[in-house]
Amino acid sequence: MGLTWANRMCKKKSGVKIRTERLHLYYGSVHALRDITIEIAANRITALIGPSGCGKSTFLKTLNRMNDLAGNVRITGGVYLDGRDIYAPQIDVAKLRKRVGMVFQQPNPFPMSIYENIAYGPKIHGMRQKGELDRIVEESLRGAAIWDEVKNRLDEPALRLSGGQQQRLCIARALAVQPEVLLMDEPTSALDPASTIKTEELMKKLRTDYTVVVVTHNMQQALRVSDDTLFFLNGELVEAGQTKELFLAPADRRTQDYITGKFG
Amino acid sequence: MRAEVTLRGHMYLKQRKSTFMYKRNCVHAVECAVQIFFTACAFLTIVTVAVITGYLIVNGVPAIWKIGIRDMLFSTVWSPTAKQAQYGILYIVLTSLVGTAMAVMLGVPIALLTAVYLVEIASDKMAAVMKTAVELLSGIPSVVYGMLGLMVLNPLVYRLELRLYRDSVTHQFTGGANLLSAVLVLTLMILPTVTSISESALREVPAELKASSLALGASQMQTIFKVVIPAAKPGIITAVVLGVGRAVGEALAISLVSGGCVNIPLPFYPVRFLTTAIVGEMGYAAGLHRQALFTIGLVLFIFIILVNLTLNHIVRSGDK
Ligand SMILES: Nc1ncnc2c1ncn2[C@@H]1O[C@H](COP(=O)(O)OP(=O)(O)OP(=O)(O)O)[C@@H](O)[C@H]1O
Ligand SMILES: [Mg+2]
């Protein structure tokens, strides 16, 4: 079933980046993800939509194994990054997370300077050369469209930035470890409209180099930025497809009801 | 209706600005009476502080005049009952400073690591048990710490002393009653305070901040030391300052284990702290000696005030 949905998604550029197969996730006795089988295309923006509590964040976190942190989680089925099972025992979780970066709902810079925030990841992974770090910091900040705003104040505490700037800084911080996939959990829900637009523009730009998966509660945003959309309900994947098609002609009644605002 | 409400609000604001002691926004006589009563209670605190300050200054300053500031603060000989009485408190001041510093340097890392363990590593059950233990520890009266120090710690420190100074001909053996014992007791005594305040500071670090670090591929230890502890820094500093306050002011416990001679503060010397000098001598001191003890009290008071000012400063700059 899931695969046929997946086949509706366009894979014009370079095929599948992430694939899940019969994925179930339980928090203790709560069955939070039910039988998710899906393909996420490379170099595209995939939006996850669905009402609160339907498992969007949970699904996102299975993709970089952040679920490992909650003690009572049990997972069955598989998640494959470039065809390799990321839950296989020999997988180095730190390396996996380097490849699959994450940006959270609340902008949350570390309590250090702007420069150090960006250099944090590369340093963790062993980068020591000052010149190379400088280059990565500039490149990441440029990549997150915030370089011009902060280039003269790199030594200032990052917490002095505005909320919108902080969020782009967090994106830059995630980019600094050169990930292949960027997971974003409601990245603009704490931002004002202007910062939201900036962040959305940034996301569209990121598509050329990264595979982006973004959770959003905002239908307009899903429509504006995403190429593909996955609709979740009660831990199940109800429908998946190219965003325009899914919004124009939803195949499932529940999708129709959700995107037209009948519930959620 | 609306207009009236805003008008009232406006008047309220005006009154708020115009009165100094209390907001004169009471309407009924009873309310006013209650307000005045509360104000009086609050003033009791201010009056107490003022009286203590005044009393210490009035009683503590004369000795400085009579003895001379140099002979008192910068001389090391304290022999108030000798024929040629001398009132140098330098060693006493230094003992308090060094003793407190050593206790803090020992206690803070232990407390901080305990707090990290409680927040980040221990299972919920284990954390609950340990938290109860820490709370109990902070409720134990200081004299009990002193007694246990006397019975358990002093003999142990004496053993160490015997071993270290086995071949020394000049060392005066203290039987374990020395600065080291006092420092160890103080360390134990500040542990609960520093631990529980650091713990709540660590707990307040947002989960997403930790998750962000882990999501970059950092290990749990890297995350704790590079992100979580720095994020909790204001709270941890508060904990340290409160620990310093407790250590500086402690008297009873250390008076039992520290020996009691005025000496340069070295680990295996018996020493006298600002607090233990007052506790030990106030009972029999008279005349200038008594006044000098008040000067010691004044110095102690100034230390405590400085500690508190630092604390306020940190709390305020943390709010910004
Ligand atoms: N750590 C956890 N322990 C137990 N249950 C959890 C945990 N995290 C999430 N859940 C449950 O799993 C389900 C899915 O939660 P999830 O956070 O993925 O929803 P969501 O779609 O992201 O919702 P929202 O839009 O509100 O963020 C919910 O029923 C939630 O209560
Ligand atoms: Mg969520």
Side-chain angles (χ1 to χ4, degrees), chain A:
Chain A
M1 277 281 274
L3 282 174
T4 44
W5 287 326
N7 289 338
R8 282 176 60 192
M9 305 206 303
C10 174
K11 290 179 219 108
K12 63 171 190 245
K13 253 190 166 169
S14 45
V16 177
K17 187 70 190 176
I18 299 172
R19 186 164 57 82
T20 71
E21 219 169 87
R22 317 230 81 180
L23 179 68
H24 290 261
L25 184 143
Y26 306 81
Y27 290 113
S29 60
V30 178
H31 197 170
L33 292 179
R34 297 164 190 265
D35 203 27
I36 311 287
T37 300
I38 190 66
E39 292 177 344
I40 291 172
N43 295 101
R44 285 170 74 84
I45 301 182
T46 302
L48 307 186
I49 61 169
S52 186
C54 68
K56 305 180 294 293
S57 301
T58 303
F59 178 71
L60 204 64
K61 283 188 276 179
T62 57
L63 305 183
N64 65 343
R65 291 188 59 172
M66 289 300 279
N67 282 317
D68 291 15
L69 302 176
N72 58 346
V73 174
R74 193 163 63 79
I75 294 175
T76 66
V79 179
Y80 303 87
L81 177 65
D82 288 337
R84 298 265 300 277
D85 183 0
I86 64 169
Y87 284 88
Q90 72 274 15
I91 288 290
D92 178 345
V93 179
K95 286 219 182 82
L96 168 72
R97 291 184 183 148
K98 184 174 175 299
R99 291 177 64 192
V100 184
M102 191 163 202
V103 175
F104 296 78
Q105 183 172 1
Q106 290 293 330
N108 54 2
F110 298 138
M112 42 181 99
S113 72
I114 293 171
Y115 182 96
E116 288 302 327
N117 259 277
I118 309 299
Y120 180 85
K123 278 185 182 171
I124 288 287
H125 294 288
M127 169 62 58
R128 284 282 167 275
Q129 287 162 271
K130 175 87 175 97
E132 187 66 1
L133 279 173
D134 288 349
R135 191 188 63 72
I136 293 174
V137 168
E138 174 168 350
E139 203 169 77
S140 310
L141 289 167
R142 280 189 194 284
I146 189 182
W147 170 251
D148 289 330
E149 287 156 79
V150 301
K151 64 183 174 205
N152 296 321
R153 45 196 292 209
L154 292 175
D155 291 327
E156 276 183 33
L159 288 162
R160 252 185 236 165
L161 297 171
S162 76
Q165 289 173 328
Q166 287 186 11
Q167 192 62 311
R168 277 178 285 141
L169 180 83
C170 291
I171 295 173
R173 181 175 69 188
L175 297 183
V177 295
Q178 292 158 342
E180 298 156 34
V181 180
L182 204 55
L183 310 175
M184 303 173 126
D185 197 344
E186 303 182 43
T188 63
S189 67
L191 305 184
D192 62 284
S195 306
T196 299
I197 298 288
K198 267 193 186 160
T199 312
E200 284 180 5
E201 275 163 11
L202 169 58
M203 282 156 68
K204 284 191 216 160
K205 205 182 80 184
L206 291 176
R207 174 171 50 181
T208 41
D209 297 316
Y210 307 89
T211 300
V212 179
V213 185
V214 58
V215 172
T216 177
H217 272 287
N218 182 333
M219 295 304 109
Q220 298 310 313
Q221 179 169 70
L223 208 46
R224 278 195 302 265
V225 301
S226 73
D227 302 301
D228 302 314
T229 297
L230 313 182
F231 172 58
F232 283 78
L233 189 63
N234 298 329
E236 279 178 61
L237 178 68
V238 173
E239 188 165 350
Q242 284 191 41
T243 301
K244 288 212 179 68
E245 281 176 28
L246 186 138
F247 273 82
L248 266 176
D252 194 292
R253 182 64 199 259
R254 293 165 294 175
T255 316
Q256 164 108 37
D257 287 349
Y258 181 71
I259 59 181
T260 54
K262 286 221 177 85
F263 68 93

Side-chain angles (χ1 to χ4, degrees), chain B residues 297-309:
Chain B
L298 184 61
V299 173
L300 188 61
F301 186 66
I302 291 170
F303 276 175
I304 302 276
I305 297 265
L306 286 180
V307 169
N308 274 303
L309 286 180

Side-chain angles (χ1 to χ4, degrees), chain B residues 52-76:
Chain B
I52 291 177
T53 314
Y55 192 80
L56 277 174
I57 291 174
V58 168
N59 288 284
V61 170
I64 302 181
W65 286 125
K66 286 181 203 157
I67 298 159
I69 206 157
R70 268 192 59 199
D71 284 345
M72 187 152 197
L73 294 186
F74 300 105
S75 153
T76 57

